[in-house]
Amino acid sequence: MKNIYSIRLLIIAFLSAFAMSVCYSCSDDDGEGIKVYEYREQIGKKIKVLTDLQAESQFGLREGMYPETSKVILENAIAKLKDFLQTMKEGGVAEMQIPDETARLLKESDEKIAEFKATIRTEDLLVPAELQVNGKNGGYIDFGVHPEYSTFGEAGKQAFTVEFWVKLKDVEGFFYLISTFTDDERNDHERKGWCVNSYNYGGNNMRMTYGMGFNDLMEPAFGFTTVNEWVHLAVVTDETGVDGETSGGRPIMTKMYLNGELKLSTTSHQDASKPYAANSNNVPMVAFTGMSATGSRIEDKGANGSMKHLHIWNGAKTQDEIRQLMEYPEKVTGTESDLVCGWSFAKMALDDQDIKDLTGKYTARLVGDYSWIELE
């Protein structure tokens, strides 16, 4: 009887141990082994590490940022881990293979993290590029509100030079290239400031418009039809006489140059009692569009094209100086005593909303429809 009792105890103990073993291998929720659950948890944590790293990293051209192309390093690592998780859930991996495969993928992920971090920029990246602005679709450059762009000394004796490179996609209609001019179709505000614009009704013309009081303008112009080709434009203004010249007893107020060649030389079209009126309104200087006196963009004055090496000088440049600026625009450093402001727009901006000028005093921002075309 004792032997039978002992055998019964052994059987009970064996069955109890077997039952505990079966329960130990069961998941608390889905029937999978607890080790499988732990591996799934490890992979989930690694996915979060990768995802957080991407979300917390900055991408751009500045020092301390990552190239946009580096995102794919983390994205591929995340995708691999997610694919393996899905395969595990669907039973596509033998349980005995899960530990080694998990270890391999986690190791690869750590290597990808190191690879990603190694791509961080150690200096600002300046990429040669062309800025294309579609002003007819709402794009423009906003240079901010600064009286220095429009005021150049004593009224009636102001002198300044505006020069830049431009490439237009077309010359149709009436459009502004660069402007401090305040226009208002209601004619209930004075029109002030200056504007380089194109007006092709009755012939294609490149014009300089000066505000000279309520509805009074001076608008010298020369013939212009060039498209899809870079040209250098320069407008030199001196109310006391450009290069000291006069005509009919009146000072030559304006000279306009195309690719360094003089295209126009003229006195003021207005009475001497109506000098150039600087823009005192609270509106920005803009390119490829125009602004009303109340600061609203004039939608039908947009231009499509590119601009580079824009400089505004506090004084009247000679033709030789214009040619030097045209041939060697990169020599303008921003330290010149008579340089009001300047932007190269020859390299991709590090921040399209904060493009510092050469002097470091002013900031431009890009608005609406525009694009940077990287140059080889």
mmCIF file of all heavy atoms in Angstrom, residues 59-62 65 121 124-131 343-356 364-366 370-373:
data_model
loop_
_atom_site.group_PDB
_atom_site.id
_atom_site.type_symbol
_atom_site.label_atom_id
_atom_site.label_comp_id
_atom_site.label_asym_id
_atom_site.label_seq_id
_atom_site.Cartn_x
_atom_site.Cartn_y
_atom_site.Cartn_z
ATOM 1 N N PHE A 59 16.965 69.340 -39.955
ATOM 2 C CA PHE A 59 17.460 69.076 -41.302
ATOM 3 C C PHE A 59 17.561 70.389 -42.068
ATOM 4 O O PHE A 59 16.625 71.198 -42.068
ATOM 5 C CB PHE A 59 16.532 68.101 -42.025
ATOM 6 C CG PHE A 59 16.456 66.759 -41.361
ATOM 7 C CD1 PHE A 59 15.549 66.511 -40.341
ATOM 8 C CD2 PHE A 59 17.316 65.736 -41.747
ATOM 9 C CE1 PHE A 59 15.488 65.284 -39.707
ATOM 10 C CE2 PHE A 59 17.268 64.492 -41.122
ATOM 11 C CZ PHE A 59 16.347 64.268 -40.103
ATOM 12 N N GLY A 60 18.695 70.611 -42.693
ATOM 13 C CA GLY A 60 18.901 71.842 -43.441
ATOM 14 C C GLY A 60 20.350 71.991 -43.842
ATOM 15 O O GLY A 60 21.122 71.015 -43.859
ATOM 16 N N LEU A 61 20.749 73.236 -44.131
ATOM 17 C CA LEU A 61 22.084 73.503 -44.660
ATOM 18 C C LEU A 61 23.036 74.090 -43.630
ATOM 19 O O LEU A 61 24.223 74.251 -43.914
ATOM 20 C CB LEU A 61 21.983 74.464 -45.851
ATOM 21 C CG LEU A 61 21.100 74.012 -47.019
ATOM 22 C CD1 LEU A 61 21.038 75.098 -48.081
ATOM 23 C CD2 LEU A 61 21.631 72.712 -47.622
ATOM 24 N N ARG A 62 22.528 74.381 -42.446
ATOM 25 C CA ARG A 62 23.376 75.012 -41.443
ATOM 26 C C ARG A 62 24.203 73.985 -40.663
ATOM 27 O O ARG A 62 23.847 72.806 -40.573
ATOM 28 C CB ARG A 62 22.526 75.824 -40.468
ATOM 29 C CG ARG A 62 21.888 77.061 -41.071
ATOM 30 C CD ARG A 62 21.275 77.926 -39.980
ATOM 31 N NE ARG A 62 20.577 79.085 -40.511
ATOM 32 C CZ ARG A 62 21.160 80.212 -40.873
ATOM 33 N NH1 ARG A 62 22.467 80.332 -40.765
ATOM 34 N NH2 ARG A 62 20.458 81.225 -41.344
ATOM 35 N N MET A 65 23.024 70.764 -38.439
ATOM 36 C CA MET A 65 21.845 70.142 -39.037
ATOM 37 C C MET A 65 22.260 68.935 -39.872
ATOM 38 O O MET A 65 23.441 68.722 -40.150
ATOM 39 C CB MET A 65 21.085 71.142 -39.907
ATOM 40 C CG MET A 65 20.476 72.293 -39.157
ATOM 41 S SD MET A 65 19.539 73.396 -40.272
ATOM 42 C CE MET A 65 18.825 74.540 -39.094
ATOM 43 N N ARG A 121 26.198 68.134 -40.247
ATOM 44 C CA ARG A 121 27.037 69.135 -40.896
ATOM 45 C C ARG A 121 27.969 69.786 -39.876
ATOM 46 O O ARG A 121 27.532 70.211 -38.805
ATOM 47 C CB ARG A 121 26.174 70.204 -41.555
ATOM 48 C CG ARG A 121 25.266 69.663 -42.644
ATOM 49 C CD ARG A 121 24.724 70.790 -43.510
ATOM 50 N NE ARG A 121 23.680 70.335 -44.408
ATOM 51 C CZ ARG A 121 23.890 69.680 -45.543
ATOM 52 N NH1 ARG A 121 25.118 69.383 -45.912
ATOM 53 N NH2 ARG A 121 22.865 69.314 -46.310
ATOM 54 N N ASP A 124 28.294 75.346 -42.358
ATOM 55 C CA ASP A 124 27.195 75.694 -43.255
ATOM 56 C C ASP A 124 27.522 75.236 -44.674
ATOM 57 O O ASP A 124 28.666 75.355 -45.127
ATOM 58 C CB ASP A 124 26.964 77.214 -43.268
ATOM 59 C CG ASP A 124 26.436 77.729 -41.933
ATOM 60 O OD1 ASP A 124 25.985 76.906 -41.121
ATOM 61 O OD2 ASP A 124 26.484 78.956 -41.723
ATOM 62 N N LEU A 125 26.530 74.714 -45.355
ATOM 63 C CA LEU A 125 26.717 74.269 -46.737
ATOM 64 C C LEU A 125 26.147 75.325 -47.680
ATOM 65 O O LEU A 125 24.957 75.618 -47.645
ATOM 66 C CB LEU A 125 26.004 72.929 -46.976
ATOM 67 C CG LEU A 125 26.145 72.363 -48.394
ATOM 68 C CD1 LEU A 125 27.606 72.025 -48.687
ATOM 69 C CD2 LEU A 125 25.268 71.134 -48.575
ATOM 70 N N LEU A 126 27.002 75.886 -48.509
ATOM 71 C CA LEU A 126 26.582 76.909 -49.470
ATOM 72 C C LEU A 126 26.551 76.276 -50.850
ATOM 73 O O LEU A 126 27.589 76.029 -51.465
ATOM 74 C CB LEU A 126 27.543 78.102 -49.424
ATOM 75 C CG LEU A 126 27.651 78.789 -48.048
ATOM 76 C CD1 LEU A 126 28.669 79.910 -48.093
ATOM 77 C CD2 LEU A 126 26.295 79.303 -47.593
ATOM 78 N N VAL A 127 25.337 76.024 -51.340
ATOM 79 C CA VAL A 127 25.149 75.313 -52.600
ATOM 80 C C VAL A 127 24.873 76.320 -53.720
ATOM 81 O O VAL A 127 23.906 77.083 -53.645
ATOM 82 C CB VAL A 127 23.961 74.332 -52.497
ATOM 83 C CG1 VAL A 127 23.768 73.593 -53.812
ATOM 84 C CG2 VAL A 127 24.187 73.356 -51.351
ATOM 85 N N PRO A 128 25.703 76.352 -54.768
ATOM 86 C CA PRO A 128 25.414 77.235 -55.899
ATOM 87 C C PRO A 128 24.030 76.927 -56.465
ATOM 88 O O PRO A 128 23.693 75.773 -56.714
ATOM 89 C CB PRO A 128 26.519 76.902 -56.906
ATOM 90 C CG PRO A 128 27.638 76.360 -56.073
ATOM 91 C CD PRO A 128 26.961 75.602 -54.962
ATOM 92 N N ALA A 129 23.212 77.959 -56.623
ATOM 93 C CA ALA A 129 21.838 77.744 -57.073
ATOM 94 C C ALA A 129 21.286 79.012 -57.708
ATOM 95 O O ALA A 129 21.841 80.103 -57.546
ATOM 96 C CB ALA A 129 20.951 77.324 -55.903
ATOM 97 N N GLU A 130 20.207 78.834 -58.441
ATOM 98 C CA GLU A 130 19.509 79.956 -59.061
ATOM 99 C C GLU A 130 18.136 80.079 -58.415
ATOM 100 O O GLU A 130 17.411 79.093 -58.287
ATOM 101 C CB GLU A 130 19.362 79.720 -60.560
ATOM 102 C CG GLU A 130 18.594 80.803 -61.301
ATOM 103 C CD GLU A 130 18.471 80.507 -62.784
ATOM 104 O OE1 GLU A 130 19.454 80.013 -63.380
ATOM 105 O OE2 GLU A 130 17.373 80.755 -63.355
ATOM 106 N N LEU A 131 17.801 81.283 -57.985
ATOM 107 C CA LEU A 131 16.501 81.529 -57.369
ATOM 108 C C LEU A 131 15.491 81.904 -58.448
ATOM 109 O O LEU A 131 15.651 82.904 -59.134
ATOM 110 C CB LEU A 131 16.599 82.656 -56.346
ATOM 111 C CG LEU A 131 15.277 83.131 -55.734
ATOM 112 C CD1 LEU A 131 14.578 81.996 -55.006
ATOM 113 C CD2 LEU A 131 15.508 84.319 -54.810
ATOM 114 N N TRP A 343 22.296 91.615 -51.910
ATOM 115 C CA TRP A 343 22.064 90.173 -51.790
ATOM 116 C C TRP A 343 22.618 89.483 -53.036
ATOM 117 O O TRP A 343 22.422 89.975 -54.162
ATOM 118 C CB TRP A 343 20.571 89.869 -51.685
ATOM 119 C CG TRP A 343 19.963 90.135 -50.355
ATOM 120 C CD1 TRP A 343 19.780 89.239 -49.345
ATOM 121 C CD2 TRP A 343 19.435 91.374 -49.881
ATOM 122 N NE1 TRP A 343 19.183 89.850 -48.265
ATOM 123 C CE2 TRP A 343 18.952 91.168 -48.570
ATOM 124 C CE3 TRP A 343 19.325 92.651 -50.439
ATOM 125 C CZ2 TRP A 343 18.370 92.172 -47.804
ATOM 126 C CZ3 TRP A 343 18.757 93.666 -49.686
ATOM 127 C CH2 TRP A 343 18.281 93.424 -48.389
ATOM 128 N N SER A 344 23.271 88.328 -52.865
ATOM 129 C CA SER A 344 23.817 87.630 -54.034
ATOM 130 C C SER A 344 22.777 86.723 -54.696
ATOM 131 O O SER A 344 22.715 86.639 -55.918
ATOM 132 C CB SER A 344 25.044 86.806 -53.644
ATOM 133 O OG SER A 344 24.665 85.650 -52.904
ATOM 134 N N PHE A 345 21.960 86.013 -53.891
ATOM 135 C CA PHE A 345 20.985 85.047 -54.415
ATOM 136 C C PHE A 345 21.638 84.077 -55.403
ATOM 137 O O PHE A 345 20.975 83.557 -56.307
ATOM 138 C CB PHE A 345 19.806 85.748 -55.101
ATOM 139 C CG PHE A 345 18.979 86.590 -54.185
ATOM 140 C CD1 PHE A 345 18.716 87.921 -54.486
ATOM 141 C CD2 PHE A 345 18.462 86.070 -53.003
ATOM 142 C CE1 PHE A 345 17.947 88.711 -53.641
ATOM 143 C CE2 PHE A 345 17.700 86.849 -52.142
ATOM 144 C CZ PHE A 345 17.448 88.174 -52.472
ATOM 145 N N ALA A 346 22.939 83.832 -55.241
ATOM 146 C CA ALA A 346 23.661 82.925 -56.131
ATOM 147 C C ALA A 346 23.921 81.583 -55.466
ATOM 148 O O ALA A 346 24.439 80.665 -56.103
ATOM 149 C CB ALA A 346 24.986 83.548 -56.565
ATOM 150 N N LYS A 347 23.537 81.475 -54.195
ATOM 151 C CA LYS A 347 23.680 80.218 -53.463
ATOM 152 C C LYS A 347 22.411 79.971 -52.665
ATOM 153 O O LYS A 347 21.766 80.906 -52.203
ATOM 154 C CB LYS A 347 24.898 80.268 -52.536
ATOM 155 C CG LYS A 347 26.215 80.360 -53.305
ATOM 156 C CD LYS A 347 27.404 80.422 -52.378
ATOM 157 C CE LYS A 347 28.694 80.514 -53.170
ATOM 158 N NZ LYS A 347 29.881 80.638 -52.301
ATOM 159 N N MET A 348 22.053 78.715 -52.526
ATOM 160 C CA MET A 348 20.827 78.346 -51.832
ATOM 161 C C MET A 348 20.826 78.920 -50.423
ATOM 162 O O MET A 348 21.809 78.791 -49.691
ATOM 163 C CB MET A 348 20.704 76.825 -51.792
ATOM 164 C CG MET A 348 19.320 76.308 -51.500
ATOM 165 S SD MET A 348 19.249 74.494 -51.636
ATOM 166 C CE MET A 348 19.594 74.281 -53.390
ATOM 167 N N ALA A 349 19.732 79.569 -50.063
ATOM 168 C CA ALA A 349 19.645 80.196 -48.740
ATOM 169 C C ALA A 349 19.610 79.135 -47.647
ATOM 170 O O ALA A 349 19.014 78.070 -47.811
ATOM 171 C CB ALA A 349 18.397 81.059 -48.650
ATOM 172 N N LEU A 350 20.260 79.435 -46.537
ATOM 173 C CA LEU A 350 20.214 78.527 -45.395
ATOM 174 C C LEU A 350 18.841 78.563 -44.739
ATOM 175 O O LEU A 350 18.391 77.588 -44.169
ATOM 176 C CB LEU A 350 21.295 78.917 -44.381
ATOM 177 C CG LEU A 350 22.742 78.862 -44.902
ATOM 178 C CD1 LEU A 350 23.698 79.399 -43.851
ATOM 179 C CD2 LEU A 350 23.115 77.445 -45.288
ATOM 180 N N ASP A 351 18.191 79.710 -44.826
ATOM 181 C CA ASP A 351 16.848 79.875 -44.277
ATOM 182 C C ASP A 351 16.103 80.857 -45.182
ATOM 183 O O ASP A 351 16.448 82.044 -45.230
ATOM 184 C CB ASP A 351 16.909 80.413 -42.845
ATOM 185 C CG ASP A 351 15.544 80.543 -42.196
ATOM 186 O OD1 ASP A 351 14.520 80.468 -42.915
ATOM 187 O OD2 ASP A 351 15.487 80.733 -40.968
ATOM 188 N N ASP A 352 15.091 80.378 -45.913
ATOM 189 C CA ASP A 352 14.378 81.219 -46.874
ATOM 190 C C ASP A 352 13.624 82.370 -46.222
ATOM 191 O O ASP A 352 13.186 83.300 -46.909
ATOM 192 C CB ASP A 352 13.393 80.372 -47.689
ATOM 193 C CG ASP A 352 14.098 79.427 -48.644
ATOM 194 O OD1 ASP A 352 15.292 79.638 -48.909
ATOM 195 O OD2 ASP A 352 13.452 78.472 -49.124
ATOM 196 N N GLN A 353 13.460 82.314 -44.915
ATOM 197 C CA GLN A 353 12.761 83.384 -44.205
ATOM 198 C C GLN A 353 13.717 84.322 -43.486
ATOM 199 O O GLN A 353 13.287 85.245 -42.782
ATOM 200 C CB GLN A 353 11.766 82.784 -43.204
ATOM 201 C CG GLN A 353 10.731 81.886 -43.835
ATOM 202 C CD GLN A 353 9.966 82.587 -44.940
ATOM 203 O OE1 GLN A 353 9.308 83.593 -44.708
ATOM 204 N NE2 GLN A 353 10.042 82.061 -46.162
ATOM 205 N N ASP A 354 15.004 84.096 -43.664
ATOM 206 C CA ASP A 354 15.994 84.923 -42.963
ATOM 207 C C ASP A 354 17.278 84.965 -43.788
ATOM 208 O O ASP A 354 18.285 84.386 -43.414
ATOM 209 C CB ASP A 354 16.257 84.345 -41.570
ATOM 210 C CG ASP A 354 17.191 85.198 -40.739
ATOM 211 O OD1 ASP A 354 17.339 86.385 -41.050
ATOM 212 O OD2 ASP A 354 17.793 84.662 -39.785
ATOM 213 N N ILE A 355 17.223 85.673 -44.925
ATOM 214 C CA ILE A 355 18.376 85.761 -45.825
ATOM 215 C C ILE A 355 19.084 87.080 -45.553
ATOM 216 O O ILE A 355 18.616 88.153 -45.931
ATOM 217 C CB ILE A 355 17.939 85.682 -47.299
ATOM 218 C CG1 ILE A 355 17.067 84.437 -47.527
ATOM 219 C CG2 ILE A 355 19.157 85.652 -48.207
ATOM 220 C CD1 ILE A 355 16.495 84.343 -48.934
ATOM 221 N N LYS A 356 20.212 86.997 -44.866
ATOM 222 C CA LYS A 356 20.943 88.214 -44.483
ATOM 223 C C LYS A 356 21.580 88.877 -45.706
ATOM 224 O O LYS A 356 22.051 88.217 -46.622
ATOM 225 C CB LYS A 356 22.042 87.859 -43.478
ATOM 226 C CG LYS A 356 21.527 87.378 -42.129
ATOM 227 C CD LYS A 356 20.883 88.513 -41.348
ATOM 228 C CE LYS A 356 20.562 88.117 -39.914
ATOM 229 N NZ LYS A 356 19.617 87.017 -39.792
ATOM 230 N N ALA A 364 16.057 89.509 -45.948
ATOM 231 C CA ALA A 364 15.025 89.271 -46.954
ATOM 232 C C ALA A 364 14.346 87.937 -46.668
ATOM 233 O O ALA A 364 14.926 87.057 -46.024
ATOM 234 C CB ALA A 364 15.638 89.252 -48.355
ATOM 235 N N ARG A 365 13.120 87.795 -47.158
ATOM 236 C CA ARG A 365 12.420 86.525 -47.037
ATOM 237 C C ARG A 365 11.715 86.217 -48.356
ATOM 238 O O ARG A 365 11.325 87.124 -49.096
ATOM 239 C CB ARG A 365 11.417 86.546 -45.882
ATOM 240 C CG ARG A 365 10.239 87.476 -46.068
ATOM 241 C CD ARG A 365 9.376 87.569 -44.819
ATOM 242 N NE ARG A 365 8.212 88.417 -45.031
ATOM 243 C CZ ARG A 365 6.995 87.952 -45.340
ATOM 244 N NH1 ARG A 365 6.793 86.637 -45.447
ATOM 245 N NH2 ARG A 365 5.988 88.769 -45.523
ATOM 246 N N LEU A 366 11.566 84.938 -48.641
ATOM 247 C CA LEU A 366 10.915 84.509 -49.865
ATOM 248 C C LEU A 366 9.467 84.149 -49.563
ATOM 249 O O LEU A 366 9.175 83.493 -48.560
ATOM 250 C CB LEU A 366 11.650 83.304 -50.462
ATOM 251 C CG LEU A 366 13.146 83.520 -50.719
ATOM 252 C CD1 LEU A 366 13.766 82.252 -51.320
ATOM 253 C CD2 LEU A 366 13.381 84.715 -51.619
ATOM 254 N N TYR A 370 8.095 80.068 -55.414
ATOM 255 C CA TYR A 370 9.499 80.237 -55.777
ATOM 256 C C TYR A 370 10.201 78.889 -55.645
ATOM 257 O O TYR A 370 9.681 77.947 -55.049
ATOM 258 C CB TYR A 370 10.192 81.268 -54.880
ATOM 259 C CG TYR A 370 10.360 80.790 -53.450
ATOM 260 C CD1 TYR A 370 11.490 80.060 -53.065
ATOM 261 C CD2 TYR A 370 9.380 81.033 -52.499
ATOM 262 C CE1 TYR A 370 11.637 79.606 -51.767
ATOM 263 C CE2 TYR A 370 9.515 80.584 -51.200
ATOM 264 C CZ TYR A 370 10.647 79.868 -50.827
ATOM 265 O OH TYR A 370 10.789 79.412 -49.551
ATOM 266 N N SER A 371 11.409 78.792 -56.177
ATOM 267 C CA SER A 371 12.185 77.565 -56.031
ATOM 268 C C SER A 371 13.662 77.859 -56.227
ATOM 269 O O SER A 371 14.034 78.811 -56.930
ATOM 270 C CB SER A 371 11.740 76.501 -57.046
ATOM 271 O OG SER A 371 11.924 76.961 -58.378
ATOM 272 N N TRP A 372 14.498 77.061 -55.577
ATOM 273 C CA TRP A 372 15.940 77.118 -55.772
ATOM 274 C C TRP A 372 16.317 75.996 -56.741
ATOM 275 O O TRP A 372 15.987 74.844 -56.501
ATOM 276 C CB TRP A 372 16.674 76.927 -54.463
ATOM 277 C CG TRP A 372 16.578 78.074 -53.506
ATOM 278 C CD1 TRP A 372 15.733 78.184 -52.444
ATOM 279 C CD2 TRP A 372 17.361 79.276 -53.523
ATOM 280 N NE1 TRP A 372 15.934 79.375 -51.793
ATOM 281 C CE2 TRP A 372 16.927 80.068 -52.427
ATOM 282 C CE3 TRP A 372 18.381 79.752 -54.348
ATOM 283 C CZ2 TRP A 372 17.497 81.307 -52.141
ATOM 284 C CZ3 TRP A 372 18.936 80.984 -54.071
ATOM 285 C CH2 TRP A 372 18.492 81.748 -52.979
ATOM 286 N N ILE A 373 17.019 76.340 -57.800
ATOM 287 C CA ILE A 373 17.485 75.346 -58.764
ATOM 288 C C ILE A 373 18.984 75.156 -58.533
ATOM 289 O O ILE A 373 19.786 76.051 -58.814
ATOM 290 C CB ILE A 373 17.222 75.797 -60.214
ATOM 291 C CG1 ILE A 373 15.755 76.206 -60.389
ATOM 292 C CG2 ILE A 373 17.614 74.695 -61.184
ATOM 293 C CD1 ILE A 373 14.759 75.122 -60.064
#
